[in-house]
Amino acid sequence: MRAKTADFAASLGLELAPEQLDTLVRYADLVWEKKDFLNLTSVANKEEIFTRHICDGLAAAAFFHRAAQGKERFTVADMGAGAGYIGLACAAVLPRAGVTLVESLEKRCSFLNWAVLKLALKNVRVLNRRLGQQKAGPFDFITERAMGQINDILPLLAPALAAGGVLAAYQSAPDEAQEDLLRRLGLRRETPVSYRLPGEEKQRYLAVFAADTGDAA
């Protein structure tokens, strides 16, 4: 698991330190321990937690790492965090990031807080919050996975972006966001990020949208 994960991250331009890999391994152990009780995943073994979930998180982490070049600190929100696959992977490998895990289910938030404590991650907070009902943010970067159709989720997420912030949405195909919706939300479409998870042949995508900077024309 360690070697495959490190190789995948390196293929994305993200070099993982041994202690970062240790954190990811311990996180996978925590998910495995609670997966049935909390319905966290349907994977058959711990290796799949890496290849199906944690490596997905590393794809976003690698993108944020590149996009945040020159920033001493930056903020990331994992919206609809679930078991934290995306946000906790980012927190484990991006020490400059302050990561917020936003999750509506209280029992999932309990798991996330427990995992953050067990992993001794100092750059993470958990918000038990339903999107669209309470304000969160602003964040430099937002990510989401499996929340729904892109045209339905963009209006929920765009208000939480900082001026000039970037949203990366996991997609199985290049995004189909409506141009009139993007204009209304003050977003512009950026070049999507494509990658393949270990052992897969199909391409996966991060659809990328940037918020207006707020500067006067």
Side-chain angles (χ1 to χ4, degrees):
M1 290 189 297
R2 293 174 64 94
K4 188 177 292 187
T5 302
D7 289 346
F8 174 75
S11 74
L12 302 175
L14 191 63
E15 298 297 329
L16 301 186
E19 58 270 22
Q20 293 172 332
L21 282 168
D22 289 343
T23 299
L24 295 176
V25 170
R26 287 188 288 122
Y27 171 51
D29 289 339
L30 297 179
V31 171
W32 187 256
E33 179 181 341
K34 299 293 185 181
K35 74 179 185 70
D36 294 327
F37 178 65
L38 294 176
N39 192 28
L40 299 178
T41 182
S42 61
V43 299
N45 53 63
K46 274 194 278 190
E47 183 172 355
E48 286 189 57
I49 295 175
F50 280 87
T51 57
R52 287 180 53 183
H53 298 308
I54 291 176
C55 284
D56 239 5
L58 294 177
F63 170 67
F64 297 148
H65 175 70
R66 295 192 302 273
Q69 289 296 324
K71 291 180 179 286
E72 183 177 348
R73 294 283 295 170
F74 57 94
T75 56
V76 174
D78 179 8
M79 298 296 198
Y85 298 122
I86 310 305
L88 287 179
C90 287
V93 304
L94 298 174
R96 294 183 295 135
V99 178
T100 299
L101 308 177
V102 182
E103 171 56 41
S104 63
L105 294 180
E106 187 173 348
K107 67 177 183 178
R108 293 280 176 86
C109 288
S110 296
F111 169 78
L112 293 172
N113 279 309
W114 176 72
V116 169
L117 182 63
K118 288 285 191 180
L119 298 173
L121 289 171
K122 305 299 185 183
N123 61 334
V124 184
R125 65 171 179 155
V126 178
L127 286 183
N128 185 194
R129 188 165 296 181
R130 186 175 296 278
L131 297 179
Q133 293 187 349
Q134 294 175 286
K135 182 174 175 57
F139 301 103
D140 298 316
F141 299 99
I142 290 176
T143 186
E144 70 79 29
R145 186 176 77 155
M147 283 183 59
Q149 296 297 314
I150 192 71
N151 291 307
D152 296 328
I153 61 176
L154 284 177
L156 298 176
L157 303 184
L161 275 174
V166 176
L167 165 65
Y170 284 82
Q171 302 284 294
S172 58
D175 79 88
E176 298 179 351
Q178 298 170 353
E179 289 295 338
D180 60 337
L181 176 64
L182 296 180
R183 286 193 296 271
R184 192 161 66 248
L185 295 174
L187 299 175
R188 67 179 183 276
R189 192 190 318 269
E190 300 286 325
T191 303
V193 176
S194 63
Y195 64 99
R196 291 178 182 174
L197 291 176
E200 285 193 353
E201 293 298 323
K202 68 177 181 179
Q203 291 286 119
R204 293 176 181 261
Y205 299 88
L206 288 172
V208 179
F209 306 94
D212 292 339
T213 62
D215 295 335

